[in-house]
Amino acid sequence: MNVNIKIYPAKNGDCFLISFGKTDEEKEYLLIDCGYVDTFQKYLKNDLIKIGNGGGILEKLILTHIDADHIQGAIRFLKDNNAERFITIKEVWHNTYRHLSEQKEGEIDTKQERILQQIIRRGYPQNESKQGEQGISAEQGTTVGALLLQGKYSWNSDFNNQAVCIEKSRVALSLDASIYLLSPDKQKLEKLKNLWSDELKRYDANFNSGNSELYDDAFEMLLSWEKEKVKVAPKQISAKAETLEELLKTPFDEDNTATNGSSIAFVLQVQNKKMLFLADAHPGLIVQSLKTYQNEGTIIFDLIKVAHHGSFGNISRDLLNKIDSERYLISTNGQRNNHPDKETIAHIITRKADFHRKLYFNYITVNSKYFDRKDWLEEYNYSIHYLDQQPYTLIL
């Protein structure tokens, strides 16, 4: 059975449409993140309309974490689908305020409501918009959570309407396919909750009381800005390192952002094919979870979607000792934080293997071009493949 992975040009974001099935009538579809608004408008919407017109449905819409480059396209998708119903979404995975709070809804005082409304009106960061480029940012004041409630979608029902969490590690899709969760765990979700609570204290607002829908919306907006704070001053990891030896000696410094740590990362298994989707997850937790998935030896995947657009903070020697593949996918245009980091690529290509590695990039970047050297390609037995900034279907 073939597995088709459609990779969309999502700027510095992620958007993947996966399909598999013995026949067209039995084909199952999964959508992982939605990139920006123009990712949806230019490419994704037409594909989803075709699937819907053909009688297909989305088995899962998986929004890995709250970050503009993963969910802004989802806001436009849900808004349009609520109005037009061009495709049925069987289940949505998306963690927000209601999945972190154990408190029941209660009354909210006028002051608290005013503060939350102020946060919501602030909307998403607009940094991605460029002069003359339209449709990148989502509508301000609109959130995934509000649209899911409006559209009455099944939301985290695989987890009893609680947070998507590795406490339930395996979710069956069909007789031939399943998802094995690797992230987040309770500790990562608790860190996200504490970040939210601390941020609200600065506004003199409470965390555990009030209308959860209002809190869902404020939560989504506030955390998107928290991620922006981290991106304002990116680390210049590769500023001086130029040779492979220097790149390999760069000290590893694991990503510690709460939003990335809350990423939904997983193994998708379809018959005997295994694909690793790492979102922006933290490598320490991924290694722990993979040892539970398969304790002994290195796990060879049919595809690895590299975490956090190739950021060196989301890969580690322990992780690379545990995983390998003939196919690595890095999704980014390199315009934020200069991803992918050279260190990440250097560590991937220099490991010994009995097979030829293919590195797939949906955009040409400065750092991808850096490794497009004939001597290195031959010595380390890898090749670089560009997807021409167009949707590309990888068939496994």
Side-chain angles (χ1 to χ4, degrees):
M1 183 192 303
N2 287 339
V3 179
N4 297 332
I5 301 170
K6 194 159 191 178
I7 304 151
Y8 292 93
K11 295 185 168 57
N12 59 296
D14 282 355
C15 183
F16 312 109
L17 180 62
I18 303 167
S19 61
F20 52 88
K22 295 175 182 176
T23 66
D24 287 342
E25 290 75 22
E26 296 177 357
K27 195 164 281 187
E28 296 186 62
Y29 296 89
L30 311 176
L31 179 58
I32 305 171
D33 292 326
C34 297
Y36 289 99
V37 173
D38 65 345
T39 311
F40 171 71
Q41 290 178 321
K42 290 182 180 178
Y43 312 109
L44 181 59
K45 185 173 183 177
N46 287 337
D47 288 345
L48 295 176
I49 288 173
K50 287 178 184 177
I51 293 168
N53 288 342
I57 67 171
L58 273 184
E59 290 289 328
K60 298 276 185 284
L61 167 59
I62 301 174
L63 303 177
T64 58
H65 63 297
I66 294 172
D67 198 357
D69 57 347
H70 294 257
I71 68 168
Q72 285 198 354
I75 290 173
R76 181 59 65 87
F77 169 27
L78 292 168
K79 189 171 184 179
D80 286 5
N81 201 50
N82 286 356
E84 304 166 33
R85 290 296 176 179
F86 49 83
I87 192 166
T88 297
I89 304 172
K90 188 174 179 181
E91 168 82 1
V92 181
W93 291 2
H94 171 63
N95 288 339
T96 188
Y97 163 81
R98 64 182 58 238
H99 307 112
L100 304 183
S101 175
E102 298 175 359
Q103 300 291 322
K104 295 182 180 180
E105 287 191 36
E107 292 297 321
I108 183 169
D109 64 44
T110 304
K111 178 186 175 183
Q112 301 289 323
E113 183 174 359
R114 188 174 65 251
I115 292 169
L116 294 174
Q117 292 286 9
Q118 178 185 347
I119 294 170
I120 293 165
R121 281 194 300 272
R122 187 184 185 192
Y124 283 99
Q126 295 293 294
N127 300 33
E128 284 305 319
S129 294
K130 293 182 178 179
Q131 193 171 12
E133 190 169 22
Q134 301 297 320
I136 297 177
S137 297
E139 294 87 346
Q140 297 306 291
T142 304
T143 65
V144 170
L147 292 167
L148 291 176
L149 293 171
Q150 182 187 48
K152 296 182 168 59
Y153 297 99
S154 177
W155 183 3
N156 288 8
S157 62
D158 287 325
F159 303 87
N160 297 318
N161 303 317
Q162 302 299 309
V164 178
C165 179
I166 63 172
E167 284 199 315
K168 180 178 181 179
S169 58
R170 193 179 297 274
V171 176
L173 298 172
S174 64
L175 290 175
D176 295 314
S178 63
I179 290 174
Y180 188 92
L181 277 170
L182 305 173
S183 170
D185 63 2
K186 277 193 166 182
Q187 185 177 353
K188 298 294 185 188
L189 292 172
E190 187 67 21
K191 186 176 178 183
L192 190 69
K193 175 179 174 178
N194 291 339
L195 169 64
W196 158 247
S197 184
D198 290 345
E199 285 294 302
L200 279 192
K201 286 175 185 175
R202 295 172 51 198
Y203 288 87
D204 194 27
N206 297 322
F207 172 66
N208 287 322
S209 64
N211 179 290
S212 63
E213 291 183 27
L214 196 59
Y215 274 82
D216 282 345
D217 294 349
F219 178 87
E220 200 171 303
M221 295 299 185
L222 197 62
L223 291 185
S224 69
W225 281 94
E226 182 63 26
K227 192 72 177 289
E228 283 299 305
K229 293 179 188 176
V230 177
K231 291 179 177 176
V232 165
K235 297 177 183 177
Q236 296 299 317
I237 297 176
S238 309
K240 296 181 180 179
E242 286 301 326
T243 68
L244 281 180
E245 291 75 16
E246 289 171 331
L247 292 169
L248 293 171
K249 289 177 182 177
T250 304
F252 171 71
D253 184 17
E254 180 162 341
D255 177 6
N256 65 357
T257 57
T259 45
N260 284 346
S262 70
S263 287
I264 299 171
F266 56 89
V267 177
L268 171 63
Q269 184 152 357
V270 180
Q271 292 184 330
N272 62 342
K273 293 172 181 168
K274 300 191 294 288
M275 293 136 281
L276 182 60
F277 290 92
L278 290 173
D280 291 1
H282 292 167
L285 175 58
I286 296 298
V287 171
Q288 291 176 32
S289 299
L290 284 172
K291 287 178 179 177
T292 304
Y293 176 76
Q294 179 184 311
N295 188 36
E296 298 299 323
T298 301
I299 307 171
I300 305 299
F301 291 94
D302 293 273
L303 173 74
I304 294 173
K305 182 269 169 185
V306 179
H308 198 195
H309 322 292
S311 169
F312 190 49
N314 297 83
I315 199 166
S316 66
R317 291 177 181 85
D318 286 344
L319 178 56
L320 287 173
N321 286 337
K322 190 64 184 172
I323 64 175
D324 208 348
S325 178
E326 292 184 19
R327 304 173 191 88
Y328 284 81
L329 170 60
I330 297 177
S331 176
T332 184
N333 61 3
Q335 290 183 1
R336 299 298 299 276
N337 298 326
N338 203 31
H339 290 154
D341 289 324
K342 291 178 184 175
E343 286 80 0
T344 299
I345 303 174
H347 278 280
I348 289 172
I349 65 171
T350 54
R351 290 173 299 150
K352 292 181 180 180
D354 298 329
F355 49 79
H356 176 86
R357 293 191 186 91
K358 296 179 180 179
L359 275 57
Y360 292 91
F361 298 88
N362 55 356
Y363 293 86
I364 297 172
T365 69
V366 171
N367 287 346
S368 69
K369 287 168 65 178
Y370 180 82
F371 288 88
D372 204 353
R373 290 178 41 165
K374 186 176 180 181
D375 54 340
W376 288 356
L377 293 168
E378 291 178 356
E379 181 178 356
Y380 297 105
N381 193 23
Y382 71 96
S383 55
I384 288 177
H385 304 264
Y386 293 116
L387 310 184
D388 298 325
Q389 300 183 36
Q390 295 295 322
Y392 179 88
T393 301
L394 196 60
I395 302 174
L396 306 181

